[in-house]
Every structure is written in C-alpha cells, then in structure tokens.
Amino acid sequence: MNMKLSVIIVNYNVAQLLRSCLLSLQKYIQEIDYEVIVIDNASTDNSWTDLIPEFPGVHFISSEINGGFSKANNRAIQAAKGEYILLLNPDTEFEGFYMKELLDFADSQPAFGCLGVRMHDVEGNFLPESKRSVPDMFNSFEKLFTNFKKNNSKSYYRNDIEENAVAEIEVMTGAFLLAKKDVYEKIGGLDEAYFMYGEDIDLCYTFLRNGYKNFYYGKVSILHHKGESTIKNEVYLKRFYGAMQIFIDKYYKESKPVQYSFLKAGLKLRYQIEKIKLK
C-alpha cells in the first residue's frame, strides 16, 4: 500500500506543545497510511528528546544548526515517503477525524496546489491568517496602517469568504499546509532565503504562478496556540519585516517599480513604528 501522507513538523523549544500535537495526530488520523517526521531545529531546550520513547512511530531528525523554517522543512521532506505532505506547526492540535476528508477533497481537484483549514486560538477566536490574499500595494497598505476590515476580495484577510466556507484562495498559513509532494518539489519547495515568516506566502504564490489552485477548507478547524514560541523582540521584528522585504524584492522590484518603492517605504515606516513600541 502506498503511503498517502507525511506530516512534517519543525520543532524549536516547544516540547510540551509538540507532545500535545503528536497526541492529537495519534487520536484523529485514522483510515489512512501516514507517517510523522519531526525535525528539531537545534533547540536550546533538549526536552524534546524525552518524546522519542513516547512516540516510537515518529521519525525524529535532529538538526545541528537552526537554519530556519524553510530549510528544516525542505530537509525533512526529502525523507518523506507520502504522496501528500502536511506542513504542521508544533503548536497546533487536530480536533477531529477529518484528514481523510481533506485528502479526498485534494484528490478531486485536477490542479491542486495547496490547502489550509480554519484556525482558532485557545479562546476560540478565529485567526484571520487562515485565508489571505497575495500582498500587493493596496492590501499591504491596509494591513500595515489601518485596523478596519473591508469585506472585499482585495483585502489582505479574505473577509469576503465565510469562516466555514470551502473556497479557492491565494494564500494560507504554513501552520497547516497540505500539498502534493511531487508538485511541491517541482516548484522548488520553500524558498530558503526566508528564515522565518513570509515563506508560506511565497510558497502559495509560487503554486499560483505555476498554474495550480489553492484552497481554504473552512469546514474543519485546528487549534493554534498562536505565537507560543515567538518572543516579540527586535530579532522578531527584523525577521518579520526582513521577510516582507525579500518578498517584494523578488516579485515587485523589476516588474512593478512604482508599487515596489511604495511598499518599501511603507515597510520601513512600519518597522520604525514597531521598534519604538518595543522601547
């Protein structure tokens, strides 16, 4: 029997959350042949190794260096045997027996790129990054400088699409991203120029640019302990805004110079505002 799915998890200093994540997979992934690959990104906290005897079926890989999220995922995917790969954050938990439903849906789409699901936090609040647009001049301005929500498809968070809908979208999050392994490899996988943040937007955009379709599957949900492993400090800001800079350099500098200079100035300004807030 061919293996259907490889779940890929990058761990960094969140052993307890990773344990909950692995338990939820054990409980809820049924009826399909799957494997789980956990790659530890040189955690400073070694407690993740305690999980190795507890989860004998999981393939653990230890990385000597922390080369970032993209690099770790790409390395783990080389070892994956599944027809599909699921990039999954260690701070997420499955909440139902829906993996087969998602794979059946993916199988039914002729030009399947990738798929994301509805995410909510511990309080049950919907996380808007579950469904997004590709950043452009207009929605980036809205995201960077305003808090109001417009209900149109150009808005950065696709507020025109219901939370529970199943719809074609441009961008979902790397916290839960389902794709076909061969297609992922064909388009080049995650761009390793990104250390953390932005690589999921880039990947989704790359699927679209290669003629594939991306989907939001809001009928099912996962819990996302958002940002548990993220400390909002200057390192975070540099990485976050640096990632957006990589994205606009890659897609706008040559082809849309006016949008590029506008976005560049906007990012710079927002970065300075956030830096002042930290002090």
Side-chain angles (χ1 to χ4, degrees):
M1 189 173 160
N2 289 343
M3 188 167 290
K4 190 73 180 173
L5 177 71
S6 298
V7 181
I8 312 290
I9 303 171
V10 178
N11 178 63
Y12 182 70
N13 288 345
V14 287
Q16 277 317 106
L17 289 165
L18 173 61
R19 182 172 183 271
S20 303
C21 176
L22 293 173
L23 287 169
S24 80
L25 297 179
Q26 253 181 13
K27 180 178 176 182
Y28 288 119
I29 301 190
Q30 309 274 334
E31 302 178 334
I32 48 172
D33 195 20
Y34 78 105
E35 63 176 352
V36 180
I37 300 172
V38 172
I39 180 160
D40 180 76
N41 234 353
S43 288
T44 51
D45 161 15
N46 225 15
S47 58
W48 69 275
T49 54
D50 299 343
L51 301 175
I52 299 172
E54 193 183 343
F55 297 95
V58 173
H59 178 185
F60 287 92
I61 301 171
S62 174
S63 179
E64 300 301 305
I65 53 146
N66 183 355
F69 182 76
S70 299
K71 201 167 267 187
N73 272 302
N74 287 341
R75 182 180 161 191
I77 286 162
Q78 285 173 356
K81 300 188 207 68
E83 178 193 347
Y84 283 89
I85 50 169
L86 174 64
L87 307 186
L88 190 68
N89 268 26
D91 59 356
T92 60
E93 289 173 44
F94 268 57
E95 299 183 309
F97 301 95
Y98 41 63
M99 199 62 232
K100 187 175 184 306
E101 181 184 333
L102 295 175
L103 289 164
D104 288 346
F105 175 81
D107 281 340
S108 73
Q109 300 300 327
F112 181 77
C114 58
L115 173 145
V117 296
R118 177 163 45 93
M119 299 193 306
H120 62 84
D121 65 14
V122 185
E123 278 81 49
N125 302 311
F126 173 71
L127 298 174
E129 62 270 27
S130 303
K131 48 182 178 65
R132 296 177 285 183
S133 301
V134 171
D136 64 19
M137 185 163 97
F138 307 102
N139 62 34
S140 297
F141 185 82
E142 170 208 354
K143 163 102 171 78
L144 289 170
F145 297 107
T146 65
N147 288 322
F148 63 87
K149 288 190 170 158
K150 300 198 303 270
N151 280 318
N152 65 37
S153 61
K154 283 305 284 180
S155 71
Y156 183 72
Y157 297 121
R158 290 290 302 274
N159 305 313
D160 57 316
I161 294 171
E162 289 295 315
E163 281 175 32
N164 302 48
V166 174
E168 219 179 294
I169 58 159
E170 294 179 302
V171 178
M172 74 279 310
T173 165
F176 182 112
L177 190 142
L178 180 72
K180 275 192 169 150
K181 182 174 189 256
D182 59 349
V183 176
Y184 177 93
E185 287 174 335
K186 194 164 104 187
I187 65 164
L190 285 165
D191 184 339
E192 295 182 8
Y194 298 90
F195 185 85
M196 195 176 171
Y197 312 113
E199 68 290 308
D200 49 359
I201 299 174
D202 194 303
L203 181 69
C204 291
Y205 192 36
T206 305
F207 277 118
L208 298 174
R209 286 163 62 93
N210 282 278
Y212 296 97
K213 291 177 175 173
N214 302 339
F215 297 92
Y216 170 68
Y217 201 90
K219 282 204 271 188
V220 306
S221 68
I222 58 161
L223 168 63
H224 188 196
H225 298 271
K226 194 169 165 347
E228 289 288 335
S229 53
T230 307
I231 301 151
K232 300 279 193 285
N233 58 13
E234 200 143 335
V235 176
Y236 161 79
L237 284 184
K238 272 207 175 95
R239 280 184 189 156
F240 184 80
Y241 288 100
M244 294 300 120
Q245 188 62 50
I246 293 169
F247 186 86
I248 65 170
D249 282 349
K250 188 167 164 183
Y251 296 113
Y252 286 98
K253 204 170 186 172
E254 300 293 314
S255 61
K256 296 173 182 167
V258 178
Q259 283 207 33
Y260 175 74
S261 48
F262 183 88
L263 285 169
K264 191 174 174 167
L267 276 177
K268 210 168 166 180
L269 180 61
R270 186 68 210 213
Y271 176 62
Q272 297 305 335
I273 294 168
E274 292 293 335
K275 245 170 94 166
I276 293 160
K277 276 191 197 162
L278 284 179
K279 292 196 167 76

